[in-house]
Amino acid sequence: MDQFRNIGVIGRMGSVKVVESLRQLKQYLITHNYHVILEEDTASMLPGHGLQVASKKLLGEICDLVIVVGGDGSLLGAARELAKSKIPLLGVNRGRLGFLTDISPADLEERLGKVLEGEYIEETRFLLDGNVERNGQPLGFGTALNDVVLHPGKSTRMIGFDLFIDGHFVYSQRSDGLIVSTPTGSTAYSLSAGGPIMHPKLDAIVLVPMFPHTLSSRPIVVDGKSEIKLVIGETNETYPQISFDGQMNIACAPGDIIRITKKPFKIRLIHPTDHNFYATCRDKLGWASEISAS
């Protein structure tokens, strides 16, 4: 099929195993007459490659498909950069869990070959945008595929904040913070904090309190189109942070306002035809893999 002719490649830096997979991937694609474009940092790991090099932004403009070699964190970074371009992403797992990067290096060529022949499943995932305001002026902006998290940073003190959903006051809380997660992120940090596992097709956002100073505070699932507003309490003695996928942080101050909404652009993920969300959960989360007789 001609739909994937120009293929971008992004690899996680600092990993010998990633370099091994990059070399294998490069050789396979060139042998099968695909036009390969390396992301500029990735290119530095393959000296003498002789291929076209481009920034992540340019990859989104000139590629038909981008292959990410690394862990879920690598794909999260690529997703934030490429969501606006609507370029499909395919992940090769060189990380630990691999909820998003679901092609194993052991059968890379076989499974990649089928995808490039048109045998694949495509799905879309939404992202979150977060804006921080101070005294009515914009302070910072970030995007997340997994989660936007209010946390105390290096401090061990609790954070006091007010939560509003679609302009309606929900509660004031003192806690270690709040995780605002997409369905994609529900199997990441949100899960560790006691949040529910959400199917990726859901148009919903989950808010998970982190060690709240009350026994009645529980995760809340809201419509994916909701606007989440957090107001940092004026009496806070600590200066908390807001993080995006754990990869970008903005320092906040008492009185700051954080607004979180769904990003207008979704990412496109490519999976092999045998991809199944529940099978992934069984594999990655250690669920029982046999049906026991009653």
Side-chain angles (χ1 to χ4, degrees):
M1 296 182 66
D2 292 332
Q3 63 187 108
F4 299 142
R5 297 310 310 175
N6 300 307
I7 300 179
V9 176
I10 300 174
R12 189 183 76 223
M13 300 294 290
S15 169
V16 174
K17 292 182 178 180
V18 167
V19 173
E20 292 174 356
S21 292
L22 286 173
R23 288 173 177 160
Q24 181 184 8
L25 178 61
K26 170 198 163 189
Q27 187 59 45
Y28 177 86
L29 293 174
I30 292 175
T31 300
H32 289 79
N33 299 315
Y34 289 96
H35 180 210
V36 182
I37 305 104
L38 296 179
E39 184 267 335
E40 51 194 2
D41 290 333
T42 305
S44 67
M45 296 189 286
L46 297 172
H49 54 77
L51 299 173
Q52 182 179 349
V53 177
S55 64
K56 285 191 180 75
K57 181 179 179 182
L58 186 56
L59 288 181
E61 298 175 2
I62 63 178
C63 292
D64 307 312
L65 171 71
V66 170
I67 301 174
V68 181
V69 182
D72 286 345
S74 302
L75 198 139
L76 291 173
R80 293 195 302 272
E81 292 277 353
L82 298 171
K84 190 173 182 179
S85 67
K86 301 180 181 179
I87 297 300
L89 303 178
L90 176 68
V92 177
N93 186 26
R94 275 301 192 179
R96 292 187 295 274
L97 279 178
F99 267 98
L100 300 173
T101 50
D102 50 9
I103 289 186
S104 169
D107 49 13
L108 170 60
E109 295 184 8
E110 177 187 354
R111 293 170 76 80
L112 176 59
K114 290 182 178 180
V115 168
L116 296 177
E117 290 171 2
E119 298 182 32
Y120 61 84
I121 299 171
E122 180 177 331
E123 65 173 352
T124 59
R125 305 280 184 97
F126 74 83
L127 301 91
L128 297 174
D129 281 338
N131 292 274
V132 182
E133 303 172 11
R134 181 171 298 167
N135 300 321
Q137 300 298 316
L139 176 68
F141 168 82
T143 296
L145 175 58
N146 268 356
D147 46 46
V148 180
V149 180
L150 175 67
H151 62 95
K154 296 180 180 179
S155 172
T156 57
R157 295 191 178 188
M158 285 188 169
I159 306 166
F161 62 91
D162 297 331
L163 169 66
F164 297 81
I165 300 175
D166 290 329
H168 300 287
F169 174 68
V170 180
Y171 54 57
S172 292
Q173 185 177 100
R174 286 185 59 78
S175 67
D176 282 1
L178 185 73
I179 301 170
V180 181
S181 172
T182 66
T184 300
S186 71
T187 52
Y189 194 18
S190 171
L191 178 65
S192 300
I197 294 175
M198 302 167 68
H199 194 281
K201 290 184 179 180
L202 286 174
D203 184 12
I205 298 170
V206 62
L207 291 77
V208 184
M210 298 165 60
F211 299 103
H213 200 234
T214 172
L215 296 178
S216 60
S217 187
R218 293 291 183 267
I220 304 174
V221 180
V222 300
D223 189 280
K225 295 180 285 294
S226 301
E227 181 197 61
I228 314 299
K229 183 174 79 170
L230 305 175
V231 181
I232 308 300
E234 294 278 3
T235 59
N236 271 299
E237 297 180 2
T238 183
Y239 282 63
Q241 296 185 359
I242 192 84
S243 72
F244 300 85
D245 287 341
Q247 297 179 347
M248 173 189 171
N249 287 279
I250 298 174
C252 299
D256 285 357
I257 296 175
I258 301 145
R259 301 182 192 275
I260 302 166
T261 56
K262 182 193 291 186
K263 193 175 187 68
F265 308 103
K266 294 184 178 182
I267 67 159
R268 299 166 60 195
L269 290 182
I270 298 293
H271 302 287
T273 53
D274 61 353
H275 172 76
N276 179 283
F277 175 71
Y278 304 109
T280 301
C281 287
R282 283 198 305 275
D283 181 40
K284 308 301 181 181
L285 300 179
W287 290 358
S289 57
E290 294 181 1
I291 301 176
S292 300
S294 57

